[in-house]
């Protein structure tokens, strides 16, 4: 059943008019009046809806049932992701949603290529659209939280996770697996890597160095591999 994010409150038996961008999206699918669709608004539920009006410019629906969605991981993963080339960062945003990351914070590391501050709003909107589309596809009914980019120092100082890890190919360190863990933070570097001073500062603030094998991974590969391993050790991949 096609599934769409709509930023509106839903009540069973009520009728709603879909916003224009969702109307355009549904038009592409060429659905029929007899079809049903699934809607979610980020409150952790899916809402099954039937069409009342299905026209090119107007779609009205009746909400006919509500279903609790329980596919969030028991592990809260906070991904501190250094900003990298935009197509690669987009990939990380999409994969983070699929892999069950709770919160993504873009980070300006020393070697980050900065974008102009007037571009921030459009970047945030772009990433938000990726989050919505990946949530529609993956079945998540709670949107991954996205914060505005933080400077490296701010990102590492304001973090209260019980386990904090900095991915670094040059600082040997294995993950010590403990049985119960409900939250973890993963810090991933930019294409040029972290400076030694950044790694040292992160270590001072409780980030343990974690090395993934002996090859240098692209930043986006490291993010996906790190999150996947956290889900496998402590989350819902076991
Ligand atoms: N030339 C850079 C360097 O030597 O640090 C390479 C950086 S790598 C392309 C980008 C980021 O991915 C790194 O800063 C680190 O966070 C992560 N990374 C890549 N390979 C890794 C590995 N084998 N173990 C842990 N982290 C890794």
């Amino acid at each position: 059943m096609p599934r769409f994010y709509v930023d509106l409150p839903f009540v069973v038996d009520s009728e709603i008019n879909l916003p224009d961008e969702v109307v355009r999206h549904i038009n592409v699918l060429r659905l029929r009046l007899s079809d049903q669709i699934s809607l979610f608004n980020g409150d952790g539920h899916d809402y099954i809806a039937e069409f009342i009006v299905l026209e090119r410019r107007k779609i009205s629906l009746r909400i006919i049932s509500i279903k609790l969605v329980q596919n969030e991981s028991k592990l809260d993963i906070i991904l501190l992701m250094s900003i990298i080339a935009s197509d690669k960062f987009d990939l990380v945003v999409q994969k983070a949603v699929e892999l069950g990351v709770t919160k993504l914070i873009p980070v300006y590391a020393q070697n980050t290529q900065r974008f102009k501050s007037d571009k921030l709003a459009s970047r945030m909107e772009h990433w938000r659209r990726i989050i919505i589309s990946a949530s529609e596809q993956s079945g998540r009914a709670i949107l991954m939280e996205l914060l505005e980019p933080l400077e490296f120092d701010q990102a590492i100082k304001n973090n209260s996770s019980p386990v904090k890890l900095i991915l670094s190919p040059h600082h040997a360190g294995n993950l010590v697996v403990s049985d119960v863990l409900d939250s973890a933070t993963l810090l991933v570097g930019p294409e040029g890597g972290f400076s030694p001073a950044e790694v040292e500062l992160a270590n001072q603030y409780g980030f343990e160095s974690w090395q993934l094998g002996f090859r240098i991974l692209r930043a986006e590969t490291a993010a996906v591999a790190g999150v996947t391993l956290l889900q496998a050790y402590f989350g819902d991949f076991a």
Side-chain angles (χ1 to χ4, degrees), residues 22-231:
V22 188
V23 171
R24 281 195 291 277
H25 200 159
I26 290 183
N27 281 335
V28 177
L29 297 180
R30 302 191 175 282
L31 298 176
R32 283 175 299 191
L33 198 61
S34 57
D35 290 331
Q36 293 183 345
I37 62 172
S38 180
L39 304 175
F40 67 106
N41 59 12
D43 72 356
H45 297 85
D46 273 359
Y47 296 84
I48 311 303
E50 62 184 11
F51 292 106
I52 303 168
V53 178
L54 180 57
E55 294 172 356
R56 248 194 106 57
R57 290 201 166 72
K58 182 179 177 190
I59 296 179
S60 305
L61 295 149
R62 180 178 297 106
I63 307 293
I64 55 175
S65 63
I66 176 174
K67 191 179 83 183
L68 178 65
V69 178
Q70 286 175 300
N71 59 13
E72 290 299 310
S73 176
K74 59 182 185 250
L75 178 70
D76 270 347
I77 300 178
I78 300 167
L79 179 59
L80 300 180
M81 183 70 211
S82 298
I83 294 173
I84 52 177
S86 63
D87 56 333
K88 306 289 191 282
F89 197 89
D90 291 356
L91 184 91
V92 172
V93 175
Q94 183 193 63
K95 299 307 164 207
V97 173
E98 293 171 35
L99 293 168
V101 169
T102 318
K103 188 193 288 189
L104 175 74
I105 308 178
V107 173
Y108 290 121
Q110 193 176 304
N111 286 328
T112 299
Q113 187 85 34
R114 286 168 176 266
F115 47 80
K116 295 199 179 96
S117 55
D118 62 346
K119 294 267 186 295
L120 179 60
S122 66
R123 282 283 93 193
M124 290 295 289
E125 181 53 29
H126 175 72
W127 292 332
R128 192 176 139 73
R129 282 176 195 277
I130 294 174
I131 292 171
I132 287 172
S133 149
S135 304
E136 288 174 342
Q137 176 273 321
S138 64
R140 285 184 80 174
I142 295 175
L143 295 184
M144 178 178 77
E145 195 180 343
L146 173 70
L147 265 53
E148 290 199 351
L150 291 180
E151 296 296 332
F152 181 87
D153 296 21
Q154 280 176 291
I156 60 165
K157 287 176 186 169
N158 302 319
N159 188 290
S160 57
S161 284
V163 166
K164 299 184 264 196
L165 301 156
I166 175 169
L167 281 183
S168 171
H170 307 296
H171 297 83
N174 293 324
L175 189 59
V176 180
V177 179
S178 79
D179 282 347
V180 187
L181 185 63
D182 58 8
S183 169
T185 293
L186 184 69
L187 173 58
V188 185
E191 289 95 339
F194 289 121
S195 69
E198 284 176 324
V199 176
E200 201 181 310
L201 189 67
N203 292 158
Q204 275 172 26
Y205 278 88
F207 283 76
E208 290 173 49
S209 297
W210 185 16
Q211 186 182 19
L212 303 173
F214 302 100
R215 296 165 296 281
I216 308 281
L217 310 176
R218 297 238 184 217
E220 64 275 22
T221 314
V224 169
V227 170
T228 303
L229 286 169
L230 288 175
Q231 289 290 29

